[in-house]
Short mmCIF file of all heavy atoms in Angstrom, two decimals:
data_model
loop_
_atom_site.label_atom_id
_atom_site.label_comp_id
_atom_site.label_asym_id
_atom_site.label_seq_id
_atom_site.Cartn_x
_atom_site.Cartn_y
_atom_site.Cartn_z
N LEU A 27 -71.02 9.75 89.66
CA LEU A 27 -71.22 11.11 89.20
C LEU A 27 -69.90 11.87 89.25
O LEU A 27 -69.51 12.60 88.26
CB LEU A 27 -72.27 11.84 89.94
CG LEU A 27 -73.71 11.35 89.70
CD1 LEU A 27 -74.68 12.03 90.68
CD2 LEU A 27 -74.15 11.60 88.31
N ALA A 63 -31.25 16.02 54.69
CA ALA A 63 -31.43 16.46 53.30
C ALA A 63 -30.13 17.13 52.78
O ALA A 63 -29.32 17.62 53.55
CB ALA A 63 -32.51 17.51 53.24
N ALA A 77 -36.62 35.18 47.34
CA ALA A 77 -37.03 35.86 46.14
C ALA A 77 -38.51 36.28 46.21
O ALA A 77 -38.88 37.41 45.72
CB ALA A 77 -36.81 34.89 44.90
N GLU A 102 -63.13 31.93 60.33
CA GLU A 102 -64.58 31.63 60.33
C GLU A 102 -64.84 30.35 59.49
O GLU A 102 -65.55 29.50 59.91
CB GLU A 102 -65.41 32.81 59.73
CG GLU A 102 -65.34 34.03 60.61
CD GLU A 102 -66.01 33.85 61.96
OE1 GLU A 102 -66.89 32.94 62.08
OE2 GLU A 102 -65.62 34.54 62.89
N ILE A 135 -45.22 24.86 61.45
CA ILE A 135 -45.57 25.99 60.57
C ILE A 135 -45.81 25.51 59.10
O ILE A 135 -45.02 24.75 58.59
CB ILE A 135 -44.51 27.08 60.54
CG1 ILE A 135 -44.26 27.67 61.93
CG2 ILE A 135 -44.84 28.20 59.55
CD1 ILE A 135 -43.14 28.65 61.99
N GLU A 142 -57.86 23.39 56.30
CA GLU A 142 -57.18 22.21 56.79
C GLU A 142 -56.01 22.47 57.63
O GLU A 142 -55.81 21.86 58.67
CB GLU A 142 -56.82 21.25 55.58
CG GLU A 142 -57.96 20.73 54.78
CD GLU A 142 -58.49 21.69 53.75
OE1 GLU A 142 -57.85 22.71 53.49
OE2 GLU A 142 -59.60 21.43 53.24
N PRO A 157 -41.47 33.36 56.88
CA PRO A 157 -40.68 33.63 58.14
C PRO A 157 -39.25 33.05 58.12
O PRO A 157 -38.87 32.16 58.83
CB PRO A 157 -41.54 32.85 59.19
CG PRO A 157 -42.15 31.72 58.41
CD PRO A 157 -42.36 32.23 57.05
N THR A 168 -50.75 32.78 61.53
CA THR A 168 -52.10 32.72 62.09
C THR A 168 -52.26 31.38 62.86
O THR A 168 -51.65 30.33 62.46
CB THR A 168 -53.19 32.84 61.00
OG1 THR A 168 -53.06 31.72 60.09
CG2 THR A 168 -53.00 34.09 60.19
N LYS A 186 -46.32 38.43 77.25
CA LYS A 186 -46.01 39.76 77.83
C LYS A 186 -44.95 40.40 76.95
O LYS A 186 -44.20 39.74 76.24
CB LYS A 186 -45.53 39.68 79.26
CG LYS A 186 -46.62 39.07 80.19
CD LYS A 186 -46.04 38.91 81.61
CE LYS A 186 -47.03 38.32 82.52
NZ LYS A 186 -46.50 38.07 83.87
N LYS A 199 -32.59 28.99 62.47
CA LYS A 199 -33.18 29.31 63.73
C LYS A 199 -33.28 30.87 63.93
O LYS A 199 -32.20 31.47 63.89
CB LYS A 199 -32.47 28.61 64.87
CG LYS A 199 -32.60 27.11 64.83
CD LYS A 199 -31.81 26.48 65.97
CE LYS A 199 -31.84 24.97 65.95
NZ LYS A 199 -31.07 24.33 67.01
N GLU A 216 -53.46 47.72 58.75
CA GLU A 216 -52.25 48.59 58.68
C GLU A 216 -51.08 48.06 59.52
O GLU A 216 -49.95 48.22 59.14
CB GLU A 216 -52.66 49.97 59.26
CG GLU A 216 -53.53 50.74 58.33
CD GLU A 216 -52.91 50.97 56.94
OE1 GLU A 216 -51.72 51.41 56.91
OE2 GLU A 216 -53.54 50.77 55.95
N PHE A 251 -30.06 35.18 67.83
CA PHE A 251 -30.34 33.84 68.34
C PHE A 251 -29.07 33.33 69.10
O PHE A 251 -28.08 33.14 68.52
CB PHE A 251 -30.72 32.88 67.23
CG PHE A 251 -31.15 31.52 67.72
CD1 PHE A 251 -32.49 31.35 67.95
CD2 PHE A 251 -30.27 30.48 67.97
CE1 PHE A 251 -32.97 30.06 68.41
CE2 PHE A 251 -30.70 29.26 68.45
CZ PHE A 251 -32.06 29.07 68.66
N LEU A 283 -58.00 3.05 89.28
CA LEU A 283 -57.81 1.96 90.23
C LEU A 283 -58.28 2.30 91.63
O LEU A 283 -58.90 1.55 92.33
CB LEU A 283 -56.33 1.58 90.32
CG LEU A 283 -55.77 0.80 89.09
CD1 LEU A 283 -54.29 0.66 89.21
CD2 LEU A 283 -56.46 -0.54 89.00
N PHE A 305 -68.72 -13.83 118.31
CA PHE A 305 -67.34 -14.17 118.68
C PHE A 305 -67.34 -14.61 120.19
O PHE A 305 -67.93 -13.95 121.01
CB PHE A 305 -66.48 -12.94 118.56
CG PHE A 305 -66.28 -12.52 117.08
CD1 PHE A 305 -67.13 -11.54 116.53
CD2 PHE A 305 -65.29 -13.04 116.33
CE1 PHE A 305 -67.01 -11.17 115.19
CE2 PHE A 305 -65.13 -12.67 115.02
CZ PHE A 305 -65.97 -11.72 114.43
#
Side-chain angles (χ1 to χ4, degrees):
L27 289 173
E102 294 295 334
I135 296 176
E142 293 82 10
T168 63
K186 298 177 182 177
K199 296 179 180 178
E216 289 302 312
F251 188 91
L283 287 173
F305 294 93

